[in-house]
Amino acid sequence: MRGPVRSPAHADGSRALTGGLVVLVGFLTVCPVLLLLLGSLSEGLGAFGRLTLSKYREAYGDPGFGVILYNTFVFTVGSAAVCTALALFLAYLNTRTNIPGKFLFRFLSLVPMMVPHILFCVSWVLLLNPSNGLLNLLLREVLGLASSPVNIYTLPGMILVEALLDLPIAYLVLAPALSAFDATLEESSRVCGASTRRTLLRVTLPVLRPAILSAFILVIVRSLASFAVPSVIGIPGRIYVLASHIYRLIATGFSPDYGQAAAVGTSALAASIVLVVLYRRLTASAERFVTVSSRGFRPAILELQGAKLPLSLAVGLLSFVLIALPVLVLGYVSLLPYSMVPGAKAFALMSLKNWRQVLADPISILALRNSLLLGVGGAAMGMILSFFVSWVIVRVRSTASGLLESLSFLSFSFPGIVIGVGFLWFFVFTPLYGTLWALLFGYIAAYLPYGIRPLTSALVQIHGHLEESSRVCGAGRLTTLRRIVLPLLVPGVVSGWILMATMFVRELSLSVVLSRPGTEVLAVQILRFSEDGLWGRLAALGIVMILISTSLVVIAGLVGRQRMRAYGLEGA
Amino acid sequence: MEIRIQGLRRMFPAHGKVIRALDGVDLDIPARSIFTLLGPSGCGKTTLLRCIVGLEVPDAGEIAIGGETVFSSARGIFVPPEKRGLGMVFQTYAIWPHMNVFQNVAYPLETRKLPRMEIRERVRRVLEFVQLAGLESRPATRLSGGQQQRVALARALVAEPRVILFDEPLSNLDAKLREETRKELRAFLSRLHITAVYVTHDRTEALSLSDRIAVMNDGRILEVGSPRQIYFRSGRRFVADFVGRANLLEGRLRALAGDLAVVDSEVGVLRCAAREGLATGSPVTVCIRPENIRVPPPPEEADANRLRGTVESLLFVGESCEGEIRVGGRRLLVELPAEGELAEGGEVELGFAPRHALLLTP
């Protein structure tokens, strides 16, 4: 009998709160888009005097632009295809077969949070670059080749690394769909006389199609926004995609052209927004499509028999490549003066020289300090905003709160470098230009959905009566938020905060546009080292970065477990 | 009057239409009584309760509690729930899972900024009253359904509010526990001499707990009265049908004679209990409850209505036997003794006293 509950919101403060948040979040998300458009139509940075299409003519009339579009298409669709196939394989193995070592799969989905993308790319460059990649050197020695057999600086190289980076995202989309799969659908196919293989092809995969398609689109969005792979692997191989092309326009050459960058950015942004809209529509229909059994019985488990060993080995190898290899390579390189194959000579030359140099390098130290400051303080501010936004989205059901929800998820489709350019156009008019505040605003705008999503799903589980009874007991709106909602959300807030902090600590694509001398951050400093080929110092700083992220992830895990123990959020 | 409600309206937009959850409700709830809002789901009873407590803002009307206006659309008054000083037991109990029993119960006193010692003393007393003494430090997540219900009651009572509200507080308990808790709740409330407003869709709960009942449907109050008045003397077709099993026969009022009314009905001429405000010739519905029909009618009731019929079916349900007897074109539901001698297909005579034949208007 409870109709759509209109809380007494409208009679006291929360209309003002909703309005304030709409303005704030609207500013954070719409402002960079607007300024990107304005910037693309202007004659130069800060010169909005006369609107012109000249930057579009320059940007899209460039004879090289066709190649960039082609590269972007191959890179994004290629990584999406490789990544989705791999993720589907892993998700199927984990949820539907008796493969041993299932804990590895959970671990696999956490790894990219611990190893920042740029370091993952660098470790592959260190292994497979044609001049002195460790694996290449090794293969040359062993096979007696004159030149390196593998070159990472190619489109396939980029696709492979990007696919591995996005693997966890695709896995997180596919695994739940697979484990919620109603096994009776398959069983009836078997009863009808179809083989396991035929059932897989004719029943399982078609039913999972929406989930597979959404994973595919999500990876396209991710790789379109990716900057680490295009910059660290693409640029040395002169393979430019949209993101690295924008970077080239603003960061290299003699005169950065922010207008052209904005003009190129608009098409990347448009593509991304279209894809995200498509993705959200698909996930909505996927929920209808995939038959989730309410009785929660386990799906049928396939006995692997003879295939068990080779499949386990494949998973083990993949885990090693994803988890251990980057750290090992970076650790090894950080101790050497230059790249060489492990051996007696290498061990004789090992020293802590790179570490000493990095720790004495004022810019690296500044970058470390800035990143920690942004990570800890910035994520805290991000979570405070996320808390209020989530509460309004879940509890205040009004047109304004619906608008707030759409606004706060808009930035999910923002490629970092594009939105960075938009913010740049904004910040040049403010005293914030070239300060850490500029980075902070950009970070919060771009990563707000990551703070809001865990909080809204936790809030939905907290029955509205828990808040209402506090009001009846004589507590005001704020007291209720402080004494009831916040304590119940603490675990979510803490783990959301840590998630945000790890993202802020390793942020690259926005920072590369907004960071200025004095506001260097870790990922940008790593990129500089990589552009200058200072691999040893890069590796040392990278290990520091990994240590920070890993400890944050470990703390998040511990908090999460404690929350389970304290109260399983059964709430009402 | 403890609570006075006038002209209350509340509308919800739903699927392009407007649902009138409250469609002009006028209601007076007397002090120190248990007052129940009874009605089918969707009738607006919970919305009315939420308006009283302040969790819902009506579109129009006035609410006064203890003489103080807490809502008035005309004068632009809305007192937020935390300023109304009421107690409420929610359907889900809404026990805060991050607090233990003591912290849950002490919360209303803390928001009223009472001294620590007094809080401790009052929590102890109220927990004793609801028979939960000794469970102060038990985490809220480790309480049974019945215990949760009592914690919710203790929390609603602890600040000694002038009114306590219940939103279907027994609907989350299983059938057996619900019956026990109902008796217990009745005992608690009658010892407290407090004004209680109780929302339920369960007629047994309403009849057994309340001092007064208001029956609601489609956002309106249909009838207010004591449980007996509502059950035995209702004048509204919907009410009589909702509060108990009923045989409803359509007819036309032929004549009135003192406290007797003569009705031409589907099954013949019936003598019924007269009622004010009915004109001869107007259409009426006659309501006869199954337990008031006797088969065969005892000979000493000379004025009883007597009808002949055929037993169509007999359903043994334990404490009694539910029979369906065809009389003319109608089937009447009759409650028979469990150990009767009737057989399906048999011819029987049945009867009921005129005072058991109520005249209803829609």
Side-chain angles (χ1 to χ4, degrees):
Chain A
M1 89 163 297
R2 198 152 295 102
V5 174
R6 187 178 73 167
S7 64
H10 307 261
D12 46 85
S14 72
R15 186 179 268 182
L17 178 66
T18 312
L21 288 173
V22 167
V23 171
L24 184 58
V25 175
F27 162 73
L28 283 173
T29 53
V30 176
C31 155
V33 176
L34 273 182
L35 275 134
L36 185 78
L37 285 175
L38 269 178
S40 69
L41 293 169
S42 73
E43 296 171 310
L45 195 57
F48 286 134
R50 207 163 54 84
L51 296 184
T52 160
L53 283 173
S54 67
K55 292 298 174 189
Y56 280 92
R57 274 195 292 275
E58 276 176 52
Y60 294 98
D62 184 341
F65 195 71
V67 180
I68 289 164
L69 278 185
Y70 168 79
N71 286 342
T72 309
F73 180 79
V74 174
F75 171 62
T76 52
V77 174
S79 4
V82 174
C83 178
T84 309
L86 210 52
L88 190 62
F89 170 69
L90 285 177
Y92 190 83
L93 282 184
N94 185 28
T95 56
R96 309 297 308 277
T97 71
N98 63 343
I99 193 151
K102 291 199 171 179
F103 68 95
L104 268 179
F105 291 87
R106 230 186 77 73
F107 212 61
L108 275 176
S109 60
L110 284 175
V111 169
M113 286 178 63
M114 304 190 219
V115 182
H117 286 187
I118 185 164
L119 292 174
F120 192 79
C121 298
V122 165
S123 67
W124 280 89
V125 166
L126 290 172
L127 281 173
L128 287 175
N129 79 69
S131 51
N132 60 2
L134 291 172
L135 261 178
N136 271 333
L137 292 180
L138 195 70
L139 287 171
R140 263 152 74 173
E141 233 168 76
V142 173
L143 303 174
L145 300 171
S147 62
S148 295
V150 187
N151 183 4
I152 189 80
Y153 297 138
T154 55
L155 261 178
M158 290 170 72
I159 288 172
L160 173 76
V161 177
E162 185 65 40
L164 289 176
L165 280 176
D166 295 332
L167 188 55
I169 294 287
Y171 180 83
L172 287 179
V173 173
L174 288 170
L178 265 163
S179 59
F181 192 89
D182 185 351
T184 53
L185 292 180
E186 290 174 318
E187 283 163 2
S188 57
S189 160
R190 298 296 301 281
V191 173
C192 290
S195 65
T196 309
R197 226 179 87 133
R198 199 178 156 77
T199 303
L200 184 67
L201 291 177
R202 295 292 302 278
V203 176
T204 315
L205 289 181
V207 171
L208 287 173
R209 201 173 51 211
I212 293 172
L213 212 55
S214 29
F216 185 77
I217 291 175
L218 198 56
V219 179
I220 293 187
V221 173
R222 283 307 192 96
S223 48
L224 189 63
S226 165
F227 182 66
V229 172
S231 62
V232 175
I233 302 176
I235 292 179
R238 302 195 176 284
I239 298 161
Y240 284 92
V241 293
L242 282 176
S244 47
H245 181 55
I246 293 171
Y247 178 63
R248 178 167 59 174
L249 286 170
I250 57 172
T252 55
F254 298 105
S255 55
D257 192 335
Y258 293 99
Q260 262 201 63
V264 174
T266 49
S267 56
L269 183 65
S272 194
I273 289 177
V274 168
L275 285 167
V276 166
V277 169
L278 198 63
Y279 166 76
R280 293 196 75 170
R281 212 177 268 182
L282 264 174
T283 43
S285 74
E287 274 154 31
R288 278 201 306 271
F289 209 125
V290 172
T291 54
V292 180
S293 157
S294 58
R295 280 165 293 167
F297 52 57
R298 298 172 61 83
I301 296 294
L302 185 72
E303 292 285 336
L304 286 177
Q305 295 157 349
K308 200 168 182 171
L309 190 64
L311 285 175
S312 309
L313 281 178
V315 171
L317 182 71
L318 197 62
S319 316
F320 175 75
V321 164
L322 278 171
I323 301 168
L325 201 62
V327 184
L328 287 179
V329 171
L330 290 174
Y332 174 72
V333 170
S334 77
L335 297 171
L336 289 176
Y338 54 89
S339 188
M340 66 184 88
V341 177
K345 187 181 162 216
F347 284 106
L349 283 171
M350 275 187 178
S351 74
L352 289 173
K353 187 161 163 268
N354 290 320
W355 286 84
R356 275 196 297 271
Q357 278 176 334
V358 162
L359 295 177
D361 172 20
I363 297 183
S364 297
I365 295 301
L366 183 65
L368 185 63
R369 227 196 53 192
N370 285 342
S371 281
L372 277 178
L373 196 65
L374 283 167
V376 175
M381 290 192 202
M383 283 317 285
I384 293 172
L385 181 60
S386 305
F387 174 75
F388 286 108
V389 171
S390 320
W391 186 81
V392 167
I393 288 175
V394 176
R395 289 286 189 257
V396 185
R397 297 282 181 78
S398 64
T399 324
S401 77
L403 177 67
L404 185 63
E405 186 173 13
S406 310
L407 278 177
S408 57
F409 281 97
L410 182 63
S411 60
F412 188 66
S413 53
F414 288 173
I417 192 158
V418 176
I419 231 56
V421 173
F423 266 121
L424 190 80
W425 278 94
F426 172 73
F427 284 128
V428 288
F429 297 107
T430 67
L432 298 180
Y433 181 73
T435 65
L436 281 180
W437 290 102
L439 288 165
L440 178 73
F441 280 121
Y443 285 10
I444 292 180
Y447 293 93
L448 198 58
Y450 296 87
I452 292 174
R453 202 142 38 155
L455 287 187
T456 46
S457 56
L459 254 174
V460 165
Q461 297 197 28
I462 298 176
H463 200 291
H465 282 174
L466 293 177
E467 284 171 61
E468 291 180 349
S469 68
S470 163
R471 300 290 305 280
V472 178
C473 284
R477 207 167 261 286
L478 273 178
T479 312
T480 302
L481 275 182
R482 183 171 57 81
R483 290 207 50 192
I484 307 296
V485 185
L486 195 58
L488 286 172
L489 280 184
V490 153
V493 170
V494 171
S495 53
W497 175 74
I498 288 173
L499 178 70
M500 241 189 191
T502 59
M503 292 185 156
F504 284 12
V505 164
R506 64 174 214 217
E507 214 296 321
L508 171 67
S509 50
L510 260 170
S511 320
V512 97
V513 186
L514 293 177
S515 148
R516 286 286 171 274
T519 59
E520 284 89 353
V521 292
L522 278 177
V524 172
Q525 182 64 5
I526 298 267
L527 184 66
R528 299 281 169 263
F529 279 146
S530 120
E531 283 168 350
D532 297 343
L534 296 170
W535 302 116
R537 274 180 246 181
L538 185 157
L541 192 59
I543 295 283
V544 173
M545 217 170 152
I546 291 176
L547 282 179
I548 296 173
S549 310
T550 308
S551 33
L552 285 172
V553 172
V554 168
I555 297 170
L558 289 179
V559 171
R561 202 167 309 159
Q562 210 163 13
R563 154 216 216 168
M564 301 288 222
R565 254 204 304 268
Y567 42 89
L569 263 187
E570 66 265 12
Chain B
M1 281 303 138
E2 187 65 47
I3 302 176
R4 168 156 279 173
I5 295 166
Q6 284 170 316
L8 211 61
R9 284 176 197 281
R10 177 78 178 94
M11 283 175 268
F12 295 116
H15 311 294
K17 287 184 296 183
V18 169
I19 293 174
R20 294 165 191 274
L22 295 178
D23 194 7
V25 168
D26 298 296
L27 193 62
D28 284 332
I29 297 176
R32 279 180 283 287
S33 65
I34 306 175
F35 193 96
T36 296
L37 300 172
L38 173 68
S41 81
C43 73
K45 55 192 191 300
T46 292
T47 305
L48 181 54
L49 192 78
R50 290 170 61 86
C51 287
I52 295 173
V53 81
L55 291 169
E56 196 84 48
V57 188
D59 297 318
E62 250 187 59
I63 304 172
I65 300 174
E68 186 205 352
T69 303
V70 294
F71 173 77
S72 165
S73 55
R75 285 184 284 157
I77 296 173
F78 175 77
V79 178
E82 63 266 26
K83 299 269 163 57
R84 295 192 184 187
L86 307 174
M88 177 162 173
V89 176
F90 287 77
Q91 189 173 13
T92 57
Y93 306 139
I95 306 295
W96 299 304
H98 59 301
M99 299 182 183
N100 62 25
V101 170
F102 178 88
Q103 290 163 330
N104 262 287
V105 178
Y107 190 89
L109 302 178
E110 283 167 11
T111 62
R112 287 166 172 83
K113 306 226 165 22
L114 294 186
R116 209 166 250 249
M117 286 305 291
E118 193 185 341
I119 292 180
R120 199 170 293 173
E121 177 54 24
R122 282 172 71 169
V123 171
R124 192 191 60 75
R125 274 206 318 251
V126 78
L127 285 180
E128 212 160 83
F129 178 76
V130 299
Q131 294 159 18
L132 282 179
L135 287 188
E136 282 86 348
S137 54
R138 173 82 60 94
T141 45
R142 289 187 42 225
L143 295 171
S144 70
Q147 286 171 330
Q148 283 189 37
Q149 203 257 354
R150 284 193 235 179
V151 171
L153 181 63
R155 188 175 63 189
L157 290 174
V158 72
E160 292 167 14
R162 49 191 314 154
V163 178
I164 179 167
L165 305 121
F166 295 87
D167 184 10
E168 310 219 11
L170 303 183
S171 62
N172 274 350
L173 302 175
D174 60 59
K176 198 165 161 57
L177 191 58
R178 186 163 20 189
E179 211 165 299
E180 278 169 30
T181 316
R182 193 169 68 213
K183 282 185 193 142
E184 215 175 69
L185 199 58
R186 170 83 218 184
F188 283 147
L189 291 176
S190 46
R191 272 160 64 199
L192 281 167
H193 299 292
I194 194 173
T195 309
V197 183
Y198 192 102
V199 159
T200 183
H201 64 268
D202 183 316
R203 59 193 170 89
T204 323
E205 225 169 279
L207 294 170
S208 60
L209 268 175
S210 324
D211 295 320
R212 290 180 78 74
I213 296 174
V215 182
M216 287 185 75
N217 192 33
D218 286 340
R220 290 171 211 231
I221 306 270
L222 297 182
E223 206 161 274
V224 183
S226 72
R228 277 162 205 283
Q229 280 170 335
I230 291 289
Y231 190 82
F232 293 119
R233 294 274 157 266
S234 168
R236 302 293 289 266
R237 190 188 159 113
F238 177 87
V239 176
D241 198 19
F242 188 76
V243 297
R245 293 179 301 160
N247 294 298
L248 300 174
L249 303 171
E250 304 307 326
R252 194 169 287 276
L253 186 60
R254 181 200 282 180
L256 282 163
D259 55 358
L260 264 185
V262 182
V263 174
D264 280 325
S265 82
E266 299 173 67
V267 296
V269 178
L270 296 176
R271 273 164 295 169
C272 308
R275 226 188 93 182
E276 278 169 42
L278 281 179
T280 319
S282 59
V284 290
T285 304
V286 181
C287 164
I288 311 129
R289 301 218 178 270
E291 67 269 23
N292 291 332
I293 299 178
R294 299 288 165 80
V295 184
E300 65 272 16
E301 281 189 24
D303 62 341
N305 295 290
R306 284 160 194 274
L307 301 166
R308 296 203 67 82
T310 322
V311 181
E312 286 232 318
S313 72
L314 288 169
L315 197 64
F316 176 65
V317 294
E319 67 268 26
S320 65
C321 210
E322 284 174 9
E324 280 187 316
I325 297 176
R326 177 170 287 281
V327 181
R330 276 297 304 261
R331 228 178 278 157
L332 297 184
L333 192 63
V334 179
E335 194 177 306
L336 300 162
E339 297 181 327
E341 286 134 30
L342 297 180
E344 287 181 8
E347 285 272 315
V348 289
E349 185 178 37
L350 52 93
F352 48 89
R355 65 193 164 91
H356 285 143
L358 303 179
L359 293 188
L360 308 177
T361 46

